[in-house]
């Protein structure tokens, strides 16, 4: 414990070392908790953030206590104590939409309006997960979304929220800075959510003419994002511990005190990940380490078989702090997949494919050489889910969530990524020769290279 406390002190004095759950991070950090600064590519220092509810009790402290990480800028600040800005769950047994909005900062008024509409339509389980955060920040230049242990807040990319082209055009078009991390590898790690044999949704471009969207169109992708980021918050400080928190602690100090009680610590001690190779590859794909010559030679088949022999649901699950003892992304990915299946009937598919080259590369040029549909339902993985669900949801009746998961199925090897969809879906997208001539559909860039998790998730 002394080692972790010293690490925290250093991290808070020079906050470039404070990154806990953002879906990415640099290599600095200490202990089993990931206290690195979020490498989220988010220059939020230039935007003014305002409370969504200016008359709320904590409106005057939100900007200071929930400040975003400023990559490449000044990140030295005194983290707020829980007595200054407590977790929502410390004050509310049942979190409401109004409770969340009173802890929300936005860069544009429309973001608060759309966020309120989405919250009102989302499952109650999802709303209650906000009990684990101090605040929500939605800013036009936040990309990717992340959770930051330094503040106990989540930071959301408004690309998930816009409905009109006018709203869209206020959002930064800067790409996710992590997108080239895995370019030296000889395979692609692909994933998508499907429903009825077709993509459950596709991301809308942030430039060009475009079309307005309906609220219904953003609910599923927004839910996947929130299930993931809020899983991090409730992982570090489980809901059952809220009543025991010291008001003089910061959120990071509380997480250090409770580190052995975190959901990820419980999962790792009971059903640990074991593949050193997948952990190595996660450092390349998601944390920016240069690939070794041996790693560059790995084939999709070799990586797929290695992945199949372990018990993670996604390659991103292997992101960890330097000591490789706790895997917070493992917990979040498993939880996200299960909750999307339960509430939306949406299944997640993962695959390892070859890496096609050329000026014109289409979806079916990515040949599946190992893949699985609905991996959270795999009989080897279900016990892991049964363990974490009661801890994250803070109730014991979790059998319905497990019952809603179908058994996992293998995808068809030596067939294109899009050809692995249902025949009816293929009929909507393919040319007369049966080939899918569209580019690889983009669905969720959070789980591409470098997903921002760490002290940022």
């Amino acid at each position: 414990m002394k080692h972790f406390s010293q690490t925290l002190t250093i991290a808070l004095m020079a906050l470039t070392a404070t990154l806990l759950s953002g879906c990415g991070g640099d290599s600095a950090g200490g202990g089993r908790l990931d206290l690195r600064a979020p490498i989220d590519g988010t220059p939020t220092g230039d935007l003014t953030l305002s409370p969504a509810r200016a008359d709320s009790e904590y409106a005057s402290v939100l900007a200071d206590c929930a400040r975003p990480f400023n990559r490449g800028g000044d990140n030295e600040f005194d983290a707020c104590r829980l007595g200054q800005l407590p977790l929502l769950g410390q004050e509310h047994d049942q979190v409401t939409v109004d409770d969340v909005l009173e802890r929300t900062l936005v860069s544009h008024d429309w973001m608060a309006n759309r966020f309120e509409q989405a919250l009102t339509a989302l499952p109650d389980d999802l709303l209650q997960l906000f009990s684990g955060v101090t605040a929500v920040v939605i800013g036009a230049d936040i990309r990717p979304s992340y959770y930051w242990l330094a503040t106990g807040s989540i930071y959301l990319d408004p690309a998930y929220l816009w409905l009109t082209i006018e709203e869209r055009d206020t959002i930064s078009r800067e790409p996710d800075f992590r997108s080239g991390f895995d370019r030296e590898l000889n395979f692609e790690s692909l994933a998508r959510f499907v429903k009825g044999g077709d993509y459950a949704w596709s991301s809308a471009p942030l430039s060009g003419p475009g079309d307005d969207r309906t609220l219904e169109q953003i609910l599923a992708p927004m839910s996947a994002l929130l299930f993931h980021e809020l899983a991090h918050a409730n992982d570090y400080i489980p809901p059952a511990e809220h009543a025991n928190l010291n008001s003089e602690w910061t959120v990071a100090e509380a997480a250090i005190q409770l580190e052995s009680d975190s959901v990820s610590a419980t999962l790792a001690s009971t059903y640990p990940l074991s593949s050193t190779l997948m952990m190595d590859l996660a450092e390349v794909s998601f944390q920016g380490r240069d690939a070794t010559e041996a790693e560059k030679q790995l084939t999709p088949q070799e990586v797929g078989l290695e992945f199949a022999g372990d018990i993670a649901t996604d390659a991103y699950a292997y992101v960890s702090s330097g000591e490789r003892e706790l895997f917070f992304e493992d917990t979040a990915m498993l939880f996200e997949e299960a909750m999307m299946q339960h509430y939306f009937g949406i299944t997640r598919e993962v695959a390892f494919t070859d890496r096609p080259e050329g000026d014109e590369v289409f979806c079916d040029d990515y040949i599946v050489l190992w893949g699985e549909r609905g991996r959270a339902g795999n009989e080897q993985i279900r016990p892991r889910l049964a363990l974490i669900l009661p801890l994250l949801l803070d109730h014991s009746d979790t059998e319905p969530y497990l019952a809603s998961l179908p058994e996992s199925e293998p995808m068809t090897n030596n067939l294109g990524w899009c050809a692995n969809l249902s025949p009816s879906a293929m009929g909507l997208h393919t040319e007369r020769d049966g080939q899918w001539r569209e580019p690889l559909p983009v669905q969720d860039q959070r789980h591409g290279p470098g997903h921002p998790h760490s002290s940022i998730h």
Side-chain angles (χ1 to χ4, degrees), residues 59 93 147 198 375 383 443:
D93 292 334
Y147 166 78
D198 200 354
R375 185 162 167 83
Q443 187 175 71

Side-chain angles (χ1 to χ4, degrees), residues 57-376:
E57 179 181 357
Y58 295 101
S60 62
V61 302
L62 282 178
D64 288 332
C65 291
R67 56 169 290 173
F69 182 82
N70 188 4
R71 194 167 79 94
D74 180 13
N75 287 291
E76 293 189 15
F77 73 102
D78 293 326
C80 291
R81 307 286 165 181
L82 288 169
Q84 296 170 274
L85 187 65
L87 301 179
L88 276 165
Q90 291 180 265
E91 296 200 322
H92 305 284
D93 292 334
Q94 289 290 308
V95 176
T96 67
V97 171
D98 285 335
D99 295 334
V100 177
L101 293 172
E102 288 177 357
R103 300 288 194 93
T104 298
L105 288 169
V106 296
S107 63
H108 295 74
D109 289 343
W110 69 261
M111 297 173 187
N113 296 334
R114 297 308 184 205
F115 190 45
E116 180 175 10
Q117 287 179 283
L119 288 175
T120 302
L122 293 178
D124 186 66
D125 270 340
L126 185 45
L127 187 61
Q128 298 314 310
L129 290 170
F130 282 93
S131 66
V133 301
T134 58
V136 179
V137 182
I138 309 170
D141 57 358
I142 291 176
R143 180 158 308 125
S145 303
Y146 59 96
Y147 166 78
W148 196 12
L149 194 60
T151 63
S153 303
I154 58 169
Y155 301 80
L156 303 179
D157 182 347
Y160 289 85
L161 280 173
W162 65 266
L163 296 187
T164 70
I165 295 301
E166 290 74 20
E167 293 168 353
R168 183 201 70 174
D169 289 345
T170 67
I171 301 172
S172 170
R173 295 173 183 174
E174 286 296 314
D176 187 330
F177 76 102
R178 306 158 300 173
S179 57
F181 280 176
D182 64 348
R183 60 186 176 276
E184 294 183 317
L185 298 176
N186 195 35
F187 63 89
E188 292 280 356
S189 173
L190 300 182
R192 63 190 171 199
F193 282 106
V194 297
K195 186 172 185 177
D198 200 354
Y199 276 81
W201 69 82
S202 294
S203 295
L206 291 175
S207 60
D211 297 309
D212 290 350
R213 303 192 293 187
T214 65
L215 179 64
E216 185 66 25
Q217 286 177 291
I218 70 170
L219 290 181
M222 188 65 183
S223 294
L225 170 68
L226 290 174
F227 277 130
H228 188 105
E229 302 305 338
L230 292 172
H232 286 306
N234 291 279
D235 182 352
Y236 290 112
I237 305 178
E241 301 293 339
H242 291 173
N244 304 320
L245 299 177
N246 188 323
S247 63
E248 292 301 312
W249 289 342
T250 65
V251 175
E253 288 170 338
I256 286 174
Q257 294 292 329
L258 298 169
E259 182 241 350
S260 62
D261 297 314
S262 70
V263 179
S264 287
T266 302
L267 184 61
S269 65
T270 311
Y271 301 108
L273 300 180
S274 61
S275 173
T276 301
L277 175 60
M278 295 307 300
M279 295 173 197
D280 291 341
L281 292 174
E283 290 181 354
V284 176
S285 296
F286 305 112
Q287 294 172 296
R289 175 175 66 75
D290 291 338
T292 67
E293 289 304 315
E295 289 166 346
K296 292 177 185 178
Q297 300 305 314
L298 288 168
T299 67
Q301 297 99 321
E302 290 171 327
V303 179
L305 289 174
E306 177 74 15
F307 179 76
D310 205 358
I311 49 176
T313 56
D314 191 88
Y316 187 59
Y318 291 92
V319 171
S320 118
S321 59
E323 295 188 5
R324 295 185 171 183
E325 294 182 24
L326 298 183
F327 297 85
F328 293 99
E329 296 303 336
D330 180 27
T331 301
M333 294 301 298
L334 178 57
F335 181 72
E336 174 189 348
E337 179 174 339
M339 298 304 281
M340 291 301 292
Q341 180 69 58
H342 179 72
Y343 278 106
F344 295 92
I346 290 174
T347 301
R348 197 163 189 273
E349 298 179 343
V350 293
F352 295 93
T353 75
D354 59 0
R355 172 164 283 178
E357 297 180 356
D359 294 333
E360 286 190 320
V361 176
F362 301 111
C363 185
D364 273 340
D365 293 325
Y366 294 83
I367 304 301
V368 173
L369 296 167
W370 182 92
E372 189 169 5
R373 183 172 294 113
R375 185 162 167 83

Side-chain angles (χ1 to χ4, degrees), residues 33-56:
L33 287 181
D34 188 351
L35 294 172
R36 297 165 297 163
I39 53 168
D40 60 354
T42 307
T44 44
D46 295 335
L47 278 182
T48 298
L49 296 167
S50 303
R53 298 281 175 85
D55 58 349
S56 64

